[in-house]
Amino acid sequence: MAPPPLFQPGKELPLLWEDRHFVVINKPAGLAAHPGPKVQDSVESRLLPQKRGGPWLVHRLDADTAGCLLIARRKSALVAAQKAFATHETIKRYWALVEGHPTRQQGTLTTLLRRVSSIRQGWKMVSDPMPETVHPSQTDQGRLAQTSWRVLASDGTSSLLELTLHTGRTHQARVHCAALGTPIIGDGLYGSRHDAGRTRLLARSLEVPVRLVSPPETDRTVPRLASSCRIKATAGDVELERFLQAHAIPARP
């Protein structure tokens, strides 16, 4: 039996991967994940409510970020996927078109991220160096954020970076690109306000290992069945793919 429709009529979004438990959509840039006081159209508001509840967004993306967004059709699937995110079993890769070029071709950045607010700018995240002696779980200085990066292409003035997020902090990719001295093009909050157009950030690929357990039976002597699967999805972006083709850095032998 085919699963019920996922979206409100006329509000469909492109699918990258699906089974009877999950769907990965290609969220367009400019569409918020959740509705808010000033936001009516969102991924969540486009979903068609189901009789047994859901569907549910497993995680979120900034409104300006396009790409892979995981949706659970069932509550048991939601719990299983969120466990994979919480235990850092997921693989989340982003593409970012940034200003300039990092000082190295690849590396890993580990910092503390904390939220600050001002009347003029509102709130934003700030990256601070890791303390030498105090573990981040024991301080209020911020939350640990770790990103690995490598340069895929460069034309001398701009570079395409592949980012692997080992943690999932608010604005992590954007803040860490700025911390490298290469803010994302179009990011008016962490980069140049003179180029505050579309943020060139794509949630390029997502891999999520999930272990699903069947609902409990009335007879508790009957064992609960478990099944495993690995969600794998990749999103495209015409502009970023053209930049990669034109300015790709040859792979080292």
PDB file of all heavy atoms in Angstrom, residues 33-60:
ATOM      1  N   ALA A  33      11.867  26.316   7.781  1.00  0.00           N
ATOM      2  CA  ALA A  33      11.494  24.958   8.171  1.00  0.00           C
ATOM      3  C   ALA A  33      10.214  24.973   8.994  1.00  0.00           C
ATOM      4  O   ALA A  33       9.345  24.098   8.827  1.00  0.00           O
ATOM      5  CB  ALA A  33      12.623  24.303   8.952  1.00  0.00           C
ATOM      6  N   HIS A  34      10.094  25.942   9.892  1.00  0.00           N
ATOM      7  CA  HIS A  34       8.936  26.033  10.787  1.00  0.00           C
ATOM      8  C   HIS A  34       8.251  27.385  10.633  1.00  0.00           C
ATOM      9  O   HIS A  34       8.913  28.388  10.346  1.00  0.00           O
ATOM     10  CB  HIS A  34       9.369  25.856  12.244  1.00  0.00           C
ATOM     11  CG  HIS A  34      10.042  24.552  12.528  1.00  0.00           C
ATOM     12  ND1 HIS A  34       9.347  23.386  12.726  1.00  0.00           N
ATOM     13  CD2 HIS A  34      11.365  24.225  12.628  1.00  0.00           C
ATOM     14  CE1 HIS A  34      10.197  22.394  12.948  1.00  0.00           C
ATOM     15  NE2 HIS A  34      11.427  22.878  12.893  1.00  0.00           N
ATOM     16  N   PRO A  35       6.938  27.454  10.852  1.00  0.00           N
ATOM     17  CA  PRO A  35       6.252  28.747  10.821  1.00  0.00           C
ATOM     18  C   PRO A  35       6.591  29.570  12.060  1.00  0.00           C
ATOM     19  O   PRO A  35       7.083  29.042  13.055  1.00  0.00           O
ATOM     20  CB  PRO A  35       4.772  28.355  10.791  1.00  0.00           C
ATOM     21  CG  PRO A  35       4.728  27.019  11.482  1.00  0.00           C
ATOM     22  CD  PRO A  35       6.021  26.338  11.121  1.00  0.00           C
ATOM     23  N   GLY A  36       6.348  30.855  11.981  1.00  0.00           N
ATOM     24  CA  GLY A  36       6.603  31.751  13.112  1.00  0.00           C
ATOM     25  C   GLY A  36       5.665  32.937  13.058  1.00  0.00           C
ATOM     26  O   GLY A  36       4.786  33.009  12.185  1.00  0.00           O
ATOM     27  N   PRO A  37       5.830  33.889  13.987  1.00  0.00           N
ATOM     28  CA  PRO A  37       4.942  35.048  14.041  1.00  0.00           C
ATOM     29  C   PRO A  37       4.896  35.828  12.726  1.00  0.00           C
ATOM     30  O   PRO A  37       3.846  36.362  12.362  1.00  0.00           O
ATOM     31  CB  PRO A  37       5.555  35.903  15.166  1.00  0.00           C
ATOM     32  CG  PRO A  37       6.302  34.923  16.011  1.00  0.00           C
ATOM     33  CD  PRO A  37       6.830  33.889  15.073  1.00  0.00           C
ATOM     34  N   LYS A  38       6.035  35.880  12.018  1.00  0.00           N
ATOM     35  CA  LYS A  38       6.087  36.618  10.755  1.00  0.00           C
ATOM     36  C   LYS A  38       6.234  35.703   9.548  1.00  0.00           C
ATOM     37  O   LYS A  38       6.449  36.180   8.437  1.00  0.00           O
ATOM     38  CB  LYS A  38       7.247  37.615  10.797  1.00  0.00           C
ATOM     39  CG  LYS A  38       7.122  38.670  11.892  1.00  0.00           C
ATOM     40  CD  LYS A  38       8.303  39.636  11.850  1.00  0.00           C
ATOM     41  CE  LYS A  38       8.186  40.689  12.943  1.00  0.00           C
ATOM     42  NZ  LYS A  38       9.340  41.640  12.912  1.00  0.00           N
ATOM     43  N   VAL A  39       6.121  34.396   9.785  1.00  0.00           N
ATOM     44  CA  VAL A  39       6.315  33.417   8.711  1.00  0.00           C
ATOM     45  C   VAL A  39       5.098  32.499   8.639  1.00  0.00           C
ATOM     46  O   VAL A  39       4.772  31.806   9.604  1.00  0.00           O
ATOM     47  CB  VAL A  39       7.590  32.569   8.953  1.00  0.00           C
ATOM     48  CG1 VAL A  39       7.734  31.523   7.855  1.00  0.00           C
ATOM     49  CG2 VAL A  39       8.820  33.455   9.008  1.00  0.00           C
ATOM     50  N   GLN A  40       4.431  32.504   7.513  1.00  0.00           N
ATOM     51  CA  GLN A  40       3.268  31.633   7.329  1.00  0.00           C
ATOM     52  C   GLN A  40       3.619  30.410   6.483  1.00  0.00           C
ATOM     53  O   GLN A  40       3.270  29.285   6.833  1.00  0.00           O
ATOM     54  CB  GLN A  40       2.123  32.418   6.676  1.00  0.00           C
ATOM     55  CG  GLN A  40       1.534  33.512   7.572  1.00  0.00           C
ATOM     56  CD  GLN A  40       0.349  34.195   6.931  1.00  0.00           C
ATOM     57  OE1 GLN A  40       0.120  34.082   5.730  1.00  0.00           O
ATOM     58  NE2 GLN A  40      -0.408  34.937   7.719  1.00  0.00           N
ATOM     59  N   ASP A  41       4.314  30.637   5.378  1.00  0.00           N
ATOM     60  CA  ASP A  41       4.685  29.525   4.512  1.00  0.00           C
ATOM     61  C   ASP A  41       5.972  28.894   5.035  1.00  0.00           C
ATOM     62  O   ASP A  41       6.975  29.569   5.254  1.00  0.00           O
ATOM     63  CB  ASP A  41       4.894  30.030   3.081  1.00  0.00           C
ATOM     64  CG  ASP A  41       5.089  28.882   2.099  1.00  0.00           C
ATOM     65  OD1 ASP A  41       4.684  27.746   2.415  1.00  0.00           O
ATOM     66  OD2 ASP A  41       5.644  29.137   1.002  1.00  0.00           O
ATOM     67  N   SER A  42       5.945  27.604   5.265  1.00  0.00           N
ATOM     68  CA  SER A  42       7.100  26.870   5.763  1.00  0.00           C
ATOM     69  C   SER A  42       6.962  25.413   5.358  1.00  0.00           C
ATOM     70  O   SER A  42       5.903  24.974   4.898  1.00  0.00           O
ATOM     71  CB  SER A  42       7.203  26.987   7.286  1.00  0.00           C
ATOM     72  OG  SER A  42       6.134  26.292   7.907  1.00  0.00           O
ATOM     73  N   VAL A  43       8.047  24.663   5.530  1.00  0.00           N
ATOM     74  CA  VAL A  43       7.978  23.224   5.256  1.00  0.00           C
ATOM     75  C   VAL A  43       6.912  22.577   6.139  1.00  0.00           C
ATOM     76  O   VAL A  43       6.075  21.808   5.674  1.00  0.00           O
ATOM     77  CB  VAL A  43       9.345  22.556   5.489  1.00  0.00           C
ATOM     78  CG1 VAL A  43       9.230  21.038   5.323  1.00  0.00           C
ATOM     79  CG2 VAL A  43      10.398  23.119   4.541  1.00  0.00           C
ATOM     80  N   GLU A  44       6.938  22.891   7.421  1.00  0.00           N
ATOM     81  CA  GLU A  44       6.006  22.274   8.365  1.00  0.00           C
ATOM     82  C   GLU A  44       4.553  22.596   8.023  1.00  0.00           C
ATOM     83  O   GLU A  44       3.690  21.713   8.096  1.00  0.00           O
ATOM     84  CB  GLU A  44       6.332  22.726   9.781  1.00  0.00           C
ATOM     85  CG  GLU A  44       5.584  21.951  10.857  1.00  0.00           C
ATOM     86  CD  GLU A  44       6.056  22.318  12.252  1.00  0.00           C
ATOM     87  OE1 GLU A  44       5.741  23.430  12.717  1.00  0.00           O
ATOM     88  OE2 GLU A  44       6.760  21.503  12.853  1.00  0.00           O
ATOM     89  N   SER A  45       4.267  23.842   7.648  1.00  0.00           N
ATOM     90  CA  SER A  45       2.886  24.214   7.332  1.00  0.00           C
ATOM     91  C   SER A  45       2.415  23.598   6.018  1.00  0.00           C
ATOM     92  O   SER A  45       1.204  23.528   5.770  1.00  0.00           O
ATOM     93  CB  SER A  45       2.744  25.739   7.280  1.00  0.00           C
ATOM     94  OG  SER A  45       3.524  26.281   6.230  1.00  0.00           O
ATOM     95  N   ARG A  46       3.340  23.155   5.184  1.00  0.00           N
ATOM     96  CA  ARG A  46       2.961  22.499   3.930  1.00  0.00           C
ATOM     97  C   ARG A  46       2.659  21.019   4.104  1.00  0.00           C
ATOM     98  O   ARG A  46       2.072  20.392   3.220  1.00  0.00           O
ATOM     99  CB  ARG A  46       4.080  22.655   2.896  1.00  0.00           C
ATOM    100  CG  ARG A  46       4.285  24.084   2.417  1.00  0.00           C
ATOM    101  CD  ARG A  46       5.273  24.124   1.268  1.00  0.00           C
ATOM    102  NE  ARG A  46       5.481  25.472   0.770  1.00  0.00           N
ATOM    103  CZ  ARG A  46       5.919  25.763  -0.454  1.00  0.00           C
ATOM    104  NH1 ARG A  46       6.189  24.781  -1.298  1.00  0.00           N
ATOM    105  NH2 ARG A  46       6.090  27.003  -0.831  1.00  0.00           N
ATOM    106  N   LEU A  47       3.055  20.437   5.234  1.00  0.00           N
ATOM    107  CA  LEU A  47       2.822  19.019   5.464  1.00  0.00           C
ATOM    108  C   LEU A  47       1.352  18.745   5.732  1.00  0.00           C
ATOM    109  O   LEU A  47       0.662  19.537   6.389  1.00  0.00           O
ATOM    110  CB  LEU A  47       3.678  18.536   6.640  1.00  0.00           C
ATOM    111  CG  LEU A  47       5.189  18.628   6.454  1.00  0.00           C
ATOM    112  CD1 LEU A  47       5.905  18.222   7.732  1.00  0.00           C
ATOM    113  CD2 LEU A  47       5.658  17.771   5.283  1.00  0.00           C
ATOM    114  N   LEU A  48       0.883  17.621   5.257  1.00  0.00           N
ATOM    115  CA  LEU A  48      -0.514  17.223   5.433  1.00  0.00           C
ATOM    116  C   LEU A  48      -0.647  16.379   6.695  1.00  0.00           C
ATOM    117  O   LEU A  48      -0.054  15.299   6.788  1.00  0.00           O
ATOM    118  CB  LEU A  48      -0.978  16.417   4.212  1.00  0.00           C
ATOM    119  CG  LEU A  48      -2.472  16.073   4.126  1.00  0.00           C
ATOM    120  CD1 LEU A  48      -3.292  17.353   3.973  1.00  0.00           C
ATOM    121  CD2 LEU A  48      -2.716  15.137   2.934  1.00  0.00           C
ATOM    122  N   PRO A  49      -1.403  16.852   7.704  1.00  0.00           N
ATOM    123  CA  PRO A  49      -1.532  16.085   8.953  1.00  0.00           C
ATOM    124  C   PRO A  49      -2.103  14.687   8.701  1.00  0.00           C
ATOM    125  O   PRO A  49      -3.002  14.497   7.886  1.00  0.00           O
ATOM    126  CB  PRO A  49      -2.503  16.933   9.779  1.00  0.00           C
ATOM    127  CG  PRO A  49      -2.365  18.322   9.234  1.00  0.00           C
ATOM    128  CD  PRO A  49      -2.113  18.144   7.762  1.00  0.00           C
ATOM    129  N   GLN A  50      -1.551  13.703   9.420  1.00  0.00           N
ATOM    130  CA  GLN A  50      -1.974  12.316   9.270  1.00  0.00           C
ATOM    131  C   GLN A  50      -2.871  11.901  10.445  1.00  0.00           C
ATOM    132  O   GLN A  50      -2.839  12.505  11.513  1.00  0.00           O
ATOM    133  CB  GLN A  50      -0.755  11.398   9.192  1.00  0.00           C
ATOM    134  CG  GLN A  50       0.245  11.800   8.115  1.00  0.00           C
ATOM    135  CD  GLN A  50      -0.329  11.717   6.712  1.00  0.00           C
ATOM    136  OE1 GLN A  50      -0.897  10.696   6.333  1.00  0.00           O
ATOM    137  NE2 GLN A  50      -0.187  12.795   5.939  1.00  0.00           N
ATOM    138  N   LYS A  51      -3.638  10.852  10.245  1.00  0.00           N
ATOM    139  CA  LYS A  51      -4.585  10.411  11.267  1.00  0.00           C
ATOM    140  C   LYS A  51      -3.885  10.007  12.558  1.00  0.00           C
ATOM    141  O   LYS A  51      -4.395  10.250  13.654  1.00  0.00           O
ATOM    142  CB  LYS A  51      -5.420   9.230  10.736  1.00  0.00           C
ATOM    143  CG  LYS A  51      -6.377   9.604   9.614  1.00  0.00           C
ATOM    144  CD  LYS A  51      -7.188   8.401   9.167  1.00  0.00           C
ATOM    145  CE  LYS A  51      -8.168   8.772   8.067  1.00  0.00           C
ATOM    146  NZ  LYS A  51      -8.956   7.590   7.613  1.00  0.00           N
ATOM    147  N   ARG A  52      -2.721   9.392  12.447  1.00  0.00           N
ATOM    148  CA  ARG A  52      -1.995   8.928  13.634  1.00  0.00           C
ATOM    149  C   ARG A  52      -0.952   9.933  14.114  1.00  0.00           C
ATOM    150  O   ARG A  52      -0.099   9.612  14.925  1.00  0.00           O
ATOM    151  CB  ARG A  52      -1.322   7.589  13.331  1.00  0.00           C
ATOM    152  CG  ARG A  52      -2.315   6.469  13.035  1.00  0.00           C
ATOM    153  CD  ARG A  52      -1.585   5.153  12.863  1.00  0.00           C
ATOM    154  NE  ARG A  52      -2.499   4.035  12.613  1.00  0.00           N
ATOM    155  CZ  ARG A  52      -2.130   2.772  12.459  1.00  0.00           C
ATOM    156  NH1 ARG A  52      -0.818   2.470  12.519  1.00  0.00           N
ATOM    157  NH2 ARG A  52      -3.007   1.823  12.242  1.00  0.00           N
ATOM    158  N   GLY A  53      -1.042  11.162  13.624  1.00  0.00           N
ATOM    159  CA  GLY A  53      -0.065  12.176  13.993  1.00  0.00           C
ATOM    160  C   GLY A  53       1.023  12.296  12.961  1.00  0.00           C
ATOM    161  O   GLY A  53       1.241  11.394  12.151  1.00  0.00           O
ATOM    162  N   GLY A  54       1.719  13.420  13.000  1.00  0.00           N
ATOM    163  CA  GLY A  54       2.799  13.653  12.060  1.00  0.00           C
ATOM    164  C   GLY A  54       2.277  14.143  10.729  1.00  0.00           C
ATOM    165  O   GLY A  54       1.085  14.429  10.573  1.00  0.00           O
ATOM    166  N   PRO A  55       3.160  14.227   9.732  1.00  0.00           N
ATOM    167  CA  PRO A  55       4.595  13.920   9.790  1.00  0.00           C
ATOM    168  C   PRO A  55       5.387  14.966  10.578  1.00  0.00           C
ATOM    169  O   PRO A  55       4.878  16.036  10.879  1.00  0.00           O
ATOM    170  CB  PRO A  55       4.999  13.893   8.312  1.00  0.00           C
ATOM    171  CG  PRO A  55       3.995  14.765   7.638  1.00  0.00           C
ATOM    172  CD  PRO A  55       2.720  14.633   8.397  1.00  0.00           C
ATOM    173  N   TRP A  56       6.658  14.613  10.913  1.00  0.00           N
ATOM    174  CA  TRP A  56       7.492  15.460  11.758  1.00  0.00           C
ATOM    175  C   TRP A  56       8.824  15.758  11.079  1.00  0.00           C
ATOM    176  O   TRP A  56       9.414  14.868  10.457  1.00  0.00           O
ATOM    177  CB  TRP A  56       7.782  14.781  13.103  1.00  0.00           C
ATOM    178  CG  TRP A  56       6.583  14.539  13.955  1.00  0.00           C
ATOM    179  CD1 TRP A  56       6.040  15.383  14.881  1.00  0.00           C
ATOM    180  CD2 TRP A  56       5.785  13.344  14.006  1.00  0.00           C
ATOM    181  NE1 TRP A  56       4.957  14.793  15.500  1.00  0.00           N
ATOM    182  CE2 TRP A  56       4.779  13.540  14.975  1.00  0.00           C
ATOM    183  CE3 TRP A  56       5.830  12.124  13.317  1.00  0.00           C
ATOM    184  CZ2 TRP A  56       3.827  12.575  15.289  1.00  0.00           C
ATOM    185  CZ3 TRP A  56       4.876  11.162  13.611  1.00  0.00           C
ATOM    186  CH2 TRP A  56       3.888  11.389  14.582  1.00  0.00           C
ATOM    187  N   LEU A  57       9.313  16.971  11.245  1.00  0.00           N
ATOM    188  CA  LEU A  57      10.663  17.310  10.829  1.00  0.00           C
ATOM    189  C   LEU A  57      11.645  16.748  11.848  1.00  0.00           C
ATOM    190  O   LEU A  57      11.517  17.012  13.044  1.00  0.00           O
ATOM    191  CB  LEU A  57      10.836  18.824  10.730  1.00  0.00           C
ATOM    192  CG  LEU A  57      10.463  19.497   9.393  1.00  0.00           C
ATOM    193  CD1 LEU A  57       8.999  19.264   9.054  1.00  0.00           C
ATOM    194  CD2 LEU A  57      10.769  20.980   9.438  1.00  0.00           C
ATOM    195  N   VAL A  58      12.613  15.973  11.395  1.00  0.00           N
ATOM    196  CA  VAL A  58      13.585  15.345  12.299  1.00  0.00           C
ATOM    197  C   VAL A  58      14.605  16.368  12.790  1.00  0.00           C
ATOM    198  O   VAL A  58      15.071  16.312  13.923  1.00  0.00           O
ATOM    199  CB  VAL A  58      14.282  14.166  11.605  1.00  0.00           C
ATOM    200  CG1 VAL A  58      15.371  13.568  12.503  1.00  0.00           C
ATOM    201  CG2 VAL A  58      13.260  13.091  11.229  1.00  0.00           C
ATOM    202  N   HIS A  59      14.974  17.300  11.942  1.00  0.00           N
ATOM    203  CA  HIS A  59      15.946  18.336  12.290  1.00  0.00           C
ATOM    204  C   HIS A  59      15.499  19.602  11.574  1.00  0.00           C
ATOM    205  O   HIS A  59      14.387  19.682  11.059  1.00  0.00           O
ATOM    206  CB  HIS A  59      17.371  17.917  11.873  1.00  0.00           C
ATOM    207  CG  HIS A  59      17.531  17.644  10.403  1.00  0.00           C
ATOM    208  ND1 HIS A  59      18.368  18.342   9.584  1.00  0.00           N
ATOM    209  CD2 HIS A  59      16.902  16.740   9.592  1.00  0.00           C
ATOM    210  CE1 HIS A  59      18.279  17.893   8.349  1.00  0.00           C
ATOM    211  NE2 HIS A  59      17.394  16.913   8.329  1.00  0.00           N
ATOM    212  N   ARG A  60      16.364  20.609  11.525  1.00  0.00           N
ATOM    213  CA  ARG A  60      15.979  21.851  10.865  1.00  0.00           C
ATOM    214  C   ARG A  60      17.130  22.377  10.017  1.00  0.00           C
ATOM    215  O   ARG A  60      18.284  21.995  10.194  1.00  0.00           O
ATOM    216  CB  ARG A  60      15.569  22.913  11.893  1.00  0.00           C
ATOM    217  CG  ARG A  60      16.702  23.387  12.779  1.00  0.00           C
ATOM    218  CD  ARG A  60      16.212  24.425  13.783  1.00  0.00           C
ATOM    219  NE  ARG A  60      15.664  25.585  13.148  1.00  0.00           N
ATOM    220  CZ  ARG A  60      16.387  26.619  12.701  1.00  0.00           C
ATOM    221  NH1 ARG A  60      17.703  26.599  12.800  1.00  0.00           N
ATOM    222  NH2 ARG A  60      15.803  27.649  12.130  1.00  0.00           N
TER     223      ARG A  60
END
